[in-house]
Amino acid sequence: MGSKKSKKRSGGLDELAGYKVLPVRFDSEGALHYLYFRQHSSTKEDILMPSDRTIFMTNLPADTTERDIRRLFQGVARIARVVFHGVVGQDIVKKNAANAKMMTDLAKAMSDSVPKPTKKSNDSQAEDLAPVPRTQLLESGASAHIVLLEVGELANVLSIKAGAITMWPQRDPESANPADYRGLSRYLYEYRASRPPAELLKTEVDSYMEKFEAAQYERDRMLSQQQNVPDEDGFITVVRRGRHTKNTDGSVSVTAASADDARAAGSKKKEVLFGNMYRFQMRERKNNQLLELRKKFEQDKEKIARMRQARQFRPY
């Protein structure tokens, strides 16, 4: 089986099967890691990844973040967004949610509407706890689509000179940003983030339950106000009360059947429905009815005979 040979341009990066080969090191004495990228091409245009300013890069390190990509091409091109593929633990639902979020962000960026003034939060409302940021992990040899900010920057990336980028972006080991954690520090952070202290968890649960009870109280209050009150068209809204077993408009109530009653009605209905399904069942049912009629006829004959024997003939 023949191998594909690499091409090398004067002053440029090596090429392999249509990909630019970018060798980088994680430290000055480390081994080389090869990144492969080319211009993105697609049969249909995608607003999230336009082909005229998007590159496709593969063989990314497992802990690559969007910040790393931005720092890698710093001074060469500006990055609009990065779409990673092969994220560990990402199913189709999470992927669709991420795409929907990117579409929303893109729509906000393209919108010329005046931003709405932000509402001031009341001191009485409990503040939401900030979610713990989780770092993503990529599968081995994962890839990403890198969308550049302008069309002209694509040529800058494709014409990178050999030796222009030699180091993978370094992270500060003393940084308090979880995105900068690597190795043991990263896994310790992930372990502790998935197991919060009991006090913090209790505070969050209590805050959630207070908000839930307040919302439930407000809902019940609104439903009670709607009882027996006609709307603009003259209709009265029917609302549920109790444990979702009774509908009422304030004057008339309709109660749902219990589970036992519904089960008994269902079994009776099945018995009537399936008892006369086949012809042999219908014949058997008719024969049983005839036998029952004959039995009653014989009983009536015996009763009449006894009445005749007990009768006395008295002409005078």
Side-chain angles (χ1 to χ4, degrees):
M1 182 176 179
S3 60
K4 296 181 180 180
K5 297 182 179 180
S6 62
K7 300 179 182 179
K8 185 171 184 178
R9 295 181 178 179
S10 58
L13 297 175
D14 293 343
E15 291 188 11
L16 178 64
Y19 285 84
K20 299 282 187 178
V21 181
L22 178 61
V24 294
R25 297 181 186 270
F26 295 104
D27 53 61
S28 58
E29 299 179 356
L32 286 174
H33 180 86
Y34 294 94
L35 302 174
Y36 306 92
F37 67 91
R38 59 173 173 81
Q39 182 179 355
H40 169 61
S41 60
S42 177
T43 56
K44 59 180 181 179
E45 190 63 26
D46 188 354
I47 190 173
L48 287 177
M49 296 179 291
S51 57
D52 57 352
R53 57 186 180 95
T54 303
I55 63 173
F56 176 75
M57 179 173 287
T58 186
N59 199 33
L60 294 171
D63 57 352
T64 303
T65 62
E66 183 173 341
R67 182 184 177 189
D68 294 332
I69 300 296
R70 293 179 182 274
R71 293 174 63 187
L72 179 68
F73 291 105
Q74 188 174 4
V76 179
R78 295 167 296 174
I79 308 301
R81 58 186 169 274
V82 180
V83 182
F84 288 100
H85 308 287
V87 179
V88 175
Q90 185 182 53
D91 53 10
I92 187 63
V93 177
K94 294 181 180 179
K95 186 176 181 180
N96 291 339
N99 291 338
K101 183 179 183 302
M102 285 190 291
M103 289 292 294
T104 303
D105 296 341
L106 181 61
K108 289 181 179 179
M110 298 174 62
S111 176
D112 297 330
S113 60
V114 179
K116 299 180 180 179
T118 57
K119 297 181 179 179
K120 295 182 179 180
S121 58
N122 299 329
D123 296 337
S124 58
Q125 296 179 352
E127 297 182 356
D128 294 333
L129 294 175
V132 178
R134 305 295 294 273
T135 58
Q136 69 177 7
L137 188 66
L138 305 179
E139 298 175 353
S140 178
S143 59
H145 282 89
I146 304 171
V147 183
L148 306 179
L149 193 60
E150 295 182 0
V151 176
E153 295 175 330
L154 178 63
N156 297 338
V157 175
L158 297 178
S159 60
I160 294 177
K161 300 296 182 180
I165 299 177
T166 59
M167 296 294 297
W168 183 256
Q170 301 297 309
R171 300 180 184 178
D172 184 8
E174 303 297 332
S175 175
N177 186 1
D180 293 333
Y181 293 166
R182 274 183 175 172
L184 181 60
S185 300
R186 179 184 181 279
Y187 288 105
L188 286 175
Y189 171 79
E190 290 285 341
Y191 178 84
R192 292 167 182 168
S194 60
R195 296 164 178 80
E199 295 79 7
L200 179 63
L201 186 60
K202 182 178 182 302
T203 303
E204 186 175 359
V205 172
D206 292 343
S207 175
Y208 174 82
M209 292 305 300
E210 289 177 2
K211 295 179 181 180
F212 175 79
E213 291 176 356
Q216 188 72 13
Y217 171 78
E218 184 67 17
R219 176 179 175 275
D220 293 342
R221 186 180 68 83
M222 294 296 296
L223 291 179
S224 62
Q225 291 180 355
Q226 294 177 1
Q227 287 189 10
N228 207 19
V229 178
D231 56 11
E232 297 178 355
D233 299 329
F235 293 97
I236 297 178
T237 304
V238 178
V239 296
R240 289 184 180 272
R241 302 294 297 170
R243 297 183 59 84
H244 304 289
T245 58
K246 181 186 295 184
N247 293 337
T248 179
D249 60 354
S251 58
V252 180
S253 300
V254 179
T255 305
S258 63
D260 295 337
D261 296 339
R263 195 179 299 108
S267 61
K268 183 177 180 181
K269 183 178 180 180
K270 289 181 180 179
E271 181 180 355
V272 174
L273 178 63
F274 295 108
N276 302 327
M277 179 177 293
Y278 301 102
R279 290 186 177 181
F280 77 90
Q281 292 178 333
M282 297 176 65
R283 290 195 299 268
E284 185 177 355
R285 182 174 59 84
K286 291 181 180 180
N287 292 334
N288 292 336
Q289 291 177 353
L290 289 175
L291 292 176
E292 188 68 21
L293 289 175
R294 289 175 180 174
K295 182 178 180 181
K296 290 183 178 180
F297 178 73
E298 295 296 334
Q299 291 176 353
D300 292 341
K301 285 176 61 177
E302 294 178 358
K303 184 177 180 181
I304 292 174
R306 289 195 300 269
M307 292 174 63
R308 286 179 176 177
Q309 291 178 359
R311 185 191 306 172
Q312 294 181 1
F313 182 74
R314 295 179 181 180
Y316 303 103

